[in-house]
Amino acid sequence: MSWVFTAEKRFYLHDGETLLDGMIRTEHKDVRFMCRQGYCGACKMQVKTYTGRLTCKKTPLAELDDDEVLACCCLPEGVLTVAYRHG
């Protein structure tokens, strides 16, 4: 089980649950997504801090900076703090 911290709330992810699925389940108001396949980049998040590993369910095709993940692909382990990266 992984813990995630955002500006809106803190929550845990179920085993195998992506960051995006966890944010939708916990009713984050500002979460954006479209394709849910790693193509569009709408769910781009900035990683503030993390412990453990950040793995991807799929290899994202959207362009990412070193401190970014796509919530639809991200399968974190440990504790993760993220911020919205809309733009």
Side-chain angles (χ1 to χ4, degrees):
M1 178 171 55
S2 301
W3 280 96
V4 179
F5 294 83
T6 69
E8 291 182 64
K9 46 183 91 172
R10 65 180 176 201
F11 62 98
Y12 65 90
L13 293 175
H14 298 288
D15 289 338
E17 185 176 40
T18 65
L19 177 57
L20 178 61
D21 290 337
M23 293 177 78
I24 292 169
R25 176 178 50 81
T26 57
E27 300 177 355
H28 276 69
K29 296 177 198 154
D30 293 329
V31 65
R32 292 186 186 176
F33 61 94
M34 287 175 52
C35 73
R36 298 183 79 157
Q37 301 294 317
Y39 301 120
C40 73
C43 63
K44 193 180 289 189
M45 303 292 292
Q46 180 183 21
V47 176
K48 297 291 193 175
T49 61
Y50 67 95
T51 63
R53 295 182 329 153
L54 295 177
T55 58
C56 292
K57 180 172 106 174
K58 305 176 181 193
T59 302
L61 295 178
E63 189 173 323
L64 298 171
D65 289 336
D66 291 340
D67 66 340
E68 295 176 327
V69 294
L70 292 183
C72 69
C73 298
C74 185
L75 295 168
E77 294 176 7
V79 178
L80 174 66
T81 303
V82 292
Y84 291 109
R85 178 67 60 94
H86 297 152

